Amino acid sequence: MHIPPRVLTVAGSDSGGGAGIQADLKTMLALGTHGMSVVTAVTAQNSLGVQGAWELPAEAVRAQFRSVVDDIGVQAVKTGMLSSAELVETVAELLADLRVPVVIDPVGVSKHGDALLADSALDAVRGALLPTATVATPNLDEVAQLTGLRVEGEADMRRAAAAILDFGPRWALIKGGHLTAGDGSGDSAVDLLTDGIEEHWLRAPRHDNRHTHGTGCTLASALAAQLAKGDTVPQAAMAAKDYVTGALAAGFRLGAGIGPVDHGWRLRGAH
């Protein structure tokens, strides 16, 4: 009997299905792993933005985590929306006892600009959560939120990675998708993966598609799935980049706003 690698996402629910827990589970399935979830918050969310968010109690988060880990087991974990210091500290405590790869996506703001992380939780992210990470995957807005550094071009990405690594993750994957051609990235969407010694620049064609909801969740989940399958961090990052680039290219319109990336693009042979 084939048992797929098991991957756990600890994140918020997106009722529109484009990001959060829903994007994570779709990605994990598409990459041949068994996805499981710890829901940290419920959002009312659609293509136009986040209309409401309700955080779950720390007790509920802890119970979900223990229920899955103690019985089914996990081979990698990915975290997403953790909106309060209490939840950040709770999850960091749970992760500290694991001996599997952990991908921390320090979600701060939604695709539509809605705040998803309280300012009061930033110290807990820096001091408690990031030290548990095998890989931390901040975008440029999250780099600024956590470090105060503004990345305006590829030359700044090394400084950003160093600042994130100072908080304790083994690797930093700085996502440069928000850079434009005028920032020196040309027609490429470029990310930097580094542990402070090795350095890998991950480049992919930039697609002219506004339907990009869920890109960060998808990349982090793909990275966790590949790590659960036994990839090294650089191998997992390259495979995740390839997957999310295809999903971005195939992103589609839903509703009146920003639609989601297509998590099933490989199943439909999309390119």
Side-chain angles (χ1 to χ4, degrees):
M1 178 186 300
H2 171 67
I3 300 176
R6 291 146 290 163
V7 189
L8 179 64
T9 170
V10 182
S13 167
D14 172 2
S15 56
I21 289 279
Q22 287 80 356
D24 297 340
L25 294 177
K26 292 172 187 177
T27 299
M28 292 167 187
L29 178 62
L31 293 175
T33 64
H34 175 69
M36 303 168 291
S37 63
V38 171
V39 180
T40 61
V42 175
T43 68
Q45 189 171 168
N46 57 25
S47 70
L48 298 174
V50 179
Q51 290 77 46
W54 298 267
E55 180 181 302
L56 267 68
E59 179 184 0
V61 170
R62 187 179 292 108
Q64 291 176 83
F65 187 95
R66 291 264 62 96
S67 181
V68 171
V69 172
D70 294 347
D71 174 46
I72 300 171
V74 297
Q75 287 156 313
V77 179
K78 173 260 178 187
T79 73
M81 179 184 174
L82 302 171
S83 54
S84 69
E86 183 183 18
L87 279 188
V88 171
E89 290 164 358
T90 297
V91 171
E93 180 184 337
L94 292 166
L95 293 175
D97 293 331
L98 291 184
R99 296 295 178 265
V100 300
V102 173
V103 178
I104 301 295
D105 185 16
V107 176
V109 180
S110 78
K111 181 66 66 178
H112 306 90
D114 304 288
L116 300 176
L117 177 69
D119 288 342
S120 58
L122 287 172
D123 283 344
V125 172
R126 297 181 190 107
L129 190 62
L130 287 175
T132 70
T134 306
V135 192
T137 64
N139 64 28
L140 302 187
D141 290 335
E142 290 154 359
V143 165
Q145 193 176 31
L146 290 166
T147 71
L149 293 175
R150 295 286 175 184
V151 177
E152 297 178 349
E154 286 188 24
D156 298 327
M157 292 178 73
R158 282 194 182 96
R159 285 195 306 126
I164 293 294
L165 289 172
D166 281 345
F167 296 127
R170 286 172 48 200
W171 292 82
L173 178 58
I174 307 299
K175 299 178 294 190
H178 291 174
L179 293 176
T180 64
D183 299 317
S185 58
D187 294 328
S188 296
V190 59
D191 305 327
L192 172 60
L193 173 73
T194 181
D195 63 354
I197 301 172
E198 288 186 43
E199 191 173 273
H200 304 269
W201 292 89
L202 310 178
R203 299 181 186 275
R206 189 179 294 278
H207 295 284
D208 184 18
N209 184 358
R210 68 186 293 262
H211 300 301
T212 58
H213 187 46
T215 48
C217 304
T218 299
L219 180 68
S221 295
L223 185 54
Q226 293 301 131
L227 290 171
K229 289 154 68 172
D231 279 4
T232 65
V233 171
Q235 288 170 339
M238 286 185 276
K241 177 77 167 179
D242 180 65
Y243 174 76
V244 79
T245 299
L248 270 164
F252 52 90
R253 178 177 178 177
L254 283 182
I258 299 172
V261 300
D262 185 355
H263 300 96
W265 66 274
R266 283 178 173 163
L267 303 177
R268 285 181 280 282
H271 297 287

